[in-house]
Amino acid sequence: MGFKTRWRRTASAAVGILFVALLSVLPAQPAAAATGQISGLAGKCVDVAAAGTANGTAVQLYDCNGTAAQQWNVGSDGTVRALGKCLDVSGGSTADGALIQLWDCNGTGAQRWSVSAARDIVNPHANKCLDVTGNTSANGTRLQLWTCSGAAHQKWTAPAAGGPGTPSGFVVTEAQFNQMFPGRNPFYTYSGLVTALGAYPAFAGTGSDTVKRQEAAAFLANVNHETGGLVHIVEQNTANYPNYCNWSMPYGCPAGQAAYYGRGPIQLSWNFNYKAAGDALGLDLLNNPWLVQNDANIAWRTGLWYWNTQSGPGTMTPHNAMVNGAGFGQTIRSINGSLECDGRNPAQVQSRVDAYQRFTGILGVPPGANLYC
């Protein structure tokens, strides 16, 4: 964020990164899941060979038969489970041809899957698709990981209710969110974002379906840039931390000179922004700015607060820029225009534009005009 937010952090090496560690153990069954067969090529089903439960048991294509070996639990946490274990890429490989197997659930990228609207089952860690080896429908054909091609042997019909790809009321499904942020920090949960949306119903809820999706893509593209792909919770340049206290404000900096550094999806910074955001959200962020880095829902709410209510160095809020047709470039101006727009830092602007174009592609809408500032 620029102007009344912070003097821009640099993209220097990560110093003092405050990460939430990746979860190493998943619950026995994910919440909000659907169970059923996953069918694909020639109408055959994803099957656990001989209904085995040993780690490394082959996952294959087989005639659909309704047995437990073909009952897959597609969870909103990105796992796909059968017989109490997870669909897994052998060895955690990201290479074409890596075989698919059953393995103890462990929370690694090798066990994360996203069902797209186009019926691809994608492993975001590898950015590759679940594929039938050799494009053959013979019983026992192994499933593998392969570069997504859109071919028939990569198309699947999976249980939808509650699982990846299921609309939550937000125009971005969880599957699409995971596709946008394959390496995100677990702190930035989809559920935290969806819950936070309740405070700003106009966000991604105004205008045509195209405009709604464009606004969601625009918000998430700027978030992507600010956080390095939803990786960083706090500003990485710790040398900047003491710079965000404006002592001319009557309330001062009660949390300390260096307490108001960038946090959350839009990297909220400066004591006056913490005061204003806290007042709007009913939270004492001035005295406890650490809430933004410790609570995912609060973090998302501060980002949406800025997007929907603040103009920053621009002339309009980012929300208004998207719903009134001013274009994506004006969202950049409102967030960090004083340091990036009008030729000041074209590489940073391009980073935001690239993400926006990628995200509108995922959502199936054109990016519109006026992409640059």
Side-chain angles (χ1 to χ4, degrees), residues 313 330 333 336-346 349 372-373:
Q330 291 304 310
R333 187 176 295 279
N336 209 39
S338 58
L339 292 178
E340 293 183 18
C341 294
D342 303 313
R344 294 183 180 94
N345 198 329
V349 172
Y372 295 87
C373 62

Side-chain angles (χ1 to χ4, degrees), residues 162-179:
T166 302
S168 62
F170 184 31
V171 295
V172 179
T173 68
E174 186 164 9
Q176 290 166 335
F177 180 78
N178 289 335
Q179 187 177 354

Side-chain angles (χ1 to χ4, degrees), residues 7-358:
W7 303 113
R8 182 72 181 165
R9 73 186 187 288
T10 63
S12 60
V15 179
I17 298 175
L18 298 180
F19 268 67
V20 174
L22 287 172
L23 298 176
S24 60
V25 179
L26 293 170
Q29 286 293 334
T35 301
Q37 294 176 326
I38 300 176
S39 60
L41 187 66
K44 295 193 175 184
C45 280
V46 177
D47 178 276
V48 179
T53 58
N55 283 341
T57 298
V59 175
Q60 60 188 8
L61 201 68
Y62 208 87
D63 289 331
C64 297
N65 54 37
T67 63
Q70 296 181 358
Q71 295 299 304
W72 295 94
N73 184 284
V74 181
S76 60
D77 63 351
T79 60
V80 179
R81 307 178 185 218
L83 303 172
K85 297 200 173 185
C86 278
L87 193 70
D88 178 277
V89 182
S90 180
S93 175
T94 61
D96 281 347
L99 293 175
I100 306 301
Q101 60 185 8
L102 208 64
W103 200 270
D104 289 331
C105 298
N106 54 36
T108 62
Q111 296 182 356
R112 298 291 183 180
W113 304 92
S114 171
V115 184
S116 77
R119 295 175 45 235
D120 301 312
I121 298 182
V122 181
N123 176 250
H125 175 65
N127 195 27
K128 293 185 177 182
C129 281
L130 187 67
D131 178 280
V132 180
T133 302
N135 188 21
T136 176
S137 60
N139 283 342
T141 301
R142 287 294 299 269
L143 302 188
Q144 63 179 1
L145 201 65
W146 200 269
T147 300
C148 299
S149 65
H153 56 282
Q154 293 183 353
K155 299 300 181 184
W156 307 93
T157 299
T166 302
S168 62
F170 184 31
V171 295
V172 179
T173 68
E174 186 164 9
Q176 290 166 335
F177 180 78
N178 289 335
Q179 187 177 354
M180 292 171 178
F181 303 106
R184 66 180 170 86
N185 191 312
F187 173 82
Y188 291 110
T189 62
Y190 178 79
S191 61
L193 171 57
V194 169
T195 301
L197 294 176
Y200 296 98
F203 170 75
T206 304
S208 68
D209 286 345
T210 294
V211 170
K212 293 173 184 175
R213 285 170 169 76
Q214 286 173 336
E215 184 181 9
F219 173 74
L220 292 172
N222 280 294
V223 163
N224 177 80
H225 178 81
E226 294 286 324
T227 62
L230 282 186
V231 170
H232 303 306
I233 301 170
V234 301
E235 182 173 352
Q236 298 301 286
N237 186 0
T238 56
N240 278 346
Y241 284 16
N243 298 333
Y244 301 127
C245 173
N246 185 336
W247 283 105
S248 70
M249 297 298 170
Y251 40 77
C253 299
Q257 172 77 32
Y260 301 101
Y261 49 85
R263 296 177 176 90
I266 296 277
Q267 292 286 280
L268 184 74
S269 9
W270 288 98
N271 57 329
F272 42 79
N273 276 318
Y274 278 92
K275 175 69 162 63
D279 288 348
L281 300 174
L283 300 165
D284 187 7
L285 298 183
L286 182 66
N287 284 287
N288 191 1
W290 296 277
L291 286 172
V292 181
Q293 71 190 60
N294 293 329
D295 187 308
N297 177 259
I298 292 174
W300 282 118
R301 288 167 68 193
T302 63
L304 290 167
W305 165 80
Y306 189 89
W307 182 269
N308 287 278
T309 70
Q310 303 299 298
S311 298
T315 59
M316 63 191 78
T317 66
H319 168 71
N320 285 337
M322 294 308 297
V323 301
N324 294 334
F328 179 73
Q330 291 304 310
T331 72
I332 303 173
R333 187 176 295 279
S334 296
I335 291 172
N336 209 39
S338 58
L339 292 178
E340 293 183 18
C341 294
D342 303 313
R344 294 183 180 94
N345 198 329
Q348 297 293 307
V349 172
Q350 190 63 54
S351 168
R352 296 179 193 264
V353 172
D354 288 348
Y356 176 61
Q357 291 177 316
R358 187 168 69 253

